[in-house]
């Protein structure tokens, strides 16, 4: 078991077709106690129950600092420690640069970037006390290549911000035994893009992916599991590209 006796939080993990839930499931299979944190509307306890007994669902909005701090207290009251944080919550919007409104910008950056900062700020003091911890942040290939398939420039900016934040935190907290890494997914079939890829674009998208398929949530779950576990104990500040070769550079 790679994660025996570890406690792992996955934000945005309630959607059973999403990357977060798949990551949570793969971590639970490796012995971790899972906390799924998500919006009330996504019913995180119901999703946590699907993983088996003893896992926790916490309602919380990562854009709200007080809710992140309250979630950490709730988790500590139940489990007494936190070993892994997966900053997975994110939203996207298809927009062109000149069409992005201030509220679009706020919505997209607040979940991915501010949310990653809030949750990391709330969890780091706990990990510092433990002298160990692993934070995995979900970025996107769209940060690296300037647009993925669906998200607008504000999404690319949010996810590029996540890369910089994660690297800076890796530098700051390495001495406390805390590792911080990113996974950068390519196009993965989840609810975020379901029904949004026009059939006529599908063939050209596949042509641009050397492994010639769209990714599955488990492709990302495996990468998160690796980075969260001791298999990656000398990795910090890295970006693990999981995109079928879409961005070989
Ligand atoms: P998804 O829509 O299934 O999951 C996103 C989850 O985030 C949902 O459960 C949602 O309820 C939750 N969420 C939204 N706002 C929140 C908030 N304020 N607080 C807490 N939770 C919130 O999408 P997914 O494809 O599983 O995406 C997971 C992550 O992976 C996102 O950060 C996304 O940007 C990133 N990503 C996805 C792809 C892809 O192709 N699917 C590619 C690159 C990156």
């Amino acid at each position: 078991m790679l994660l025996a006796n570890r406690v792992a939080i996955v934000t945005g993990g309630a959607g059973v077709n999403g990357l977060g839930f798949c990551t949570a499931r793969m971590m639970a299979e490796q012995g971790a106690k899972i906390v799924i944190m998500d919006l009330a509307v996504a019913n995180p306890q119901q999703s946590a129950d699907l993983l088996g007994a003893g896992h926790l669902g916490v309602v919380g909005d990562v854009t709200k600092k007080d809710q992140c701090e309250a979630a950490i207290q709730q988790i500590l009251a139940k489990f007494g420690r936190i070993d892994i944080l997966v900053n997975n919550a994110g939203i996207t919007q298809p927009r062109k640069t000149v069409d992005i409104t201030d509220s679009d910008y706020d919505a997209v950056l607040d979940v991915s970037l501010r949310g990653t900062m809030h949750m990391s700020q709330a969890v780091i003091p706990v990990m510092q006390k433990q002298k160990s911890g692993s934070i995995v942040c979900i970025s996107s290939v769209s940060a690296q290549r300037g647009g993925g398939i669906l998200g607008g420039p504000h999404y690319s900016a949010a996810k590029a911000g996540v890369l910089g934040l994660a690297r800076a935190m890796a530098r700051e907290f390495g001495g406390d035994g805390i590792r911080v890494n990113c996974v950068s997914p390519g196009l993965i079939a989840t609810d975020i893009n379901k029904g949004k890829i026009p059939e006529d674009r599908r063939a050209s998208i596949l042509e641009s992916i050397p492994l010639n398929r769209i990714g599955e949530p488990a492709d990302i779950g495996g990468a998160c599991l690796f980075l969260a576990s001791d298999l990656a104990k000398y990795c910090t500040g890295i970006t693990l590209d999981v995109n079928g070769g879409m961005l070989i550079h």
Side-chain angles (χ1 to χ4, degrees):
M1 293 284 220
L2 289 172
L3 301 182
N5 304 318
R6 310 277 168 95
V7 176
I9 307 173
V10 182
T11 68
V16 292
N17 300 320
L19 307 184
F21 184 77
C22 184
T23 299
R25 186 175 48 72
M26 291 173 78
M27 289 184 169
E29 285 166 2
Q30 291 297 325
K33 289 290 175 214
I34 303 297
V35 181
I36 290 182
M37 178 171 162
D38 210 311
L39 301 172
V41 68
N43 202 340
Q45 187 60 58
Q46 193 176 60
S47 303
D49 290 343
L50 293 174
L51 300 172
H55 304 289
L56 179 67
V58 171
V59 171
D61 179 340
V62 297
T63 71
K64 306 279 188 289
K65 190 166 185 169
D66 58 338
Q67 294 188 25
C68 296
E69 287 167 349
I72 297 306
Q73 291 315 312
Q74 192 183 337
I75 294 160
L76 286 175
K78 179 162 171 84
F79 293 117
R81 59 181 297 114
I82 298 168
D83 302 285
I84 295 158
L85 167 65
V86 183
N87 282 308
N88 168 75
I91 60 168
T92 190
Q93 296 169 338
R95 295 280 187 281
K96 299 285 184 201
T97 301
V98 295
D99 300 327
I100 298 167
T101 65
D102 278 0
S103 72
D104 291 338
Y105 180 94
D106 287 347
V108 168
L109 272 89
D110 274 5
V111 182
S112 278
L113 186 52
R114 194 188 295 272
T116 293
M117 190 177 71
H118 281 163
M119 285 303 292
S120 303
Q121 287 174 318
V123 102
I124 281 168
V126 180
M127 292 179 168
Q128 281 177 310
K129 274 193 203 139
Q130 296 169 181
K131 294 251 162 271
S132 74
S134 174
I135 300 178
V136 181
C137 304
I138 306 298
S139 179
S140 169
V141 72
S142 71
Q144 299 156 301
R145 46 168 260 170
I149 310 291
L150 297 166
H154 54 337
Y155 179 75
S156 300
K159 293 301 193 182
V162 168
L163 293 179
L165 176 62
R167 287 176 191 156
M169 292 193 297
R171 210 177 273 286
E172 188 174 346
F173 299 109
D176 292 311
I178 302 171
R179 298 182 295 104
V180 188
N181 294 291
C182 286
V183 172
S184 186
L187 182 61
I188 316 293
T190 69
D191 291 345
I192 216 169
N193 48 41
K194 198 174 178 182
K196 292 183 188 154
I197 303 165
E199 262 318 303
D200 55 340
R201 281 193 64 201
R202 210 180 157 81
S204 68
I205 290 169
L206 283 176
E207 226 167 80
S208 72
I209 303 174
L211 289 182
N212 202 35
R213 69 171 173 87
I214 289 174
E216 302 159 2
D219 296 324
I220 305 305
C224 292
L225 178 59
F226 164 70
L227 288 173
S229 78
D230 291 345
L231 291 177
K233 67 186 190 320
Y234 201 49
C235 295
T236 199
I238 73 164
T239 301
L240 187 49
D241 291 351
V242 186
N243 55 35
M246 185 196 265
L247 184 83
I248 293 173
H249 61 117

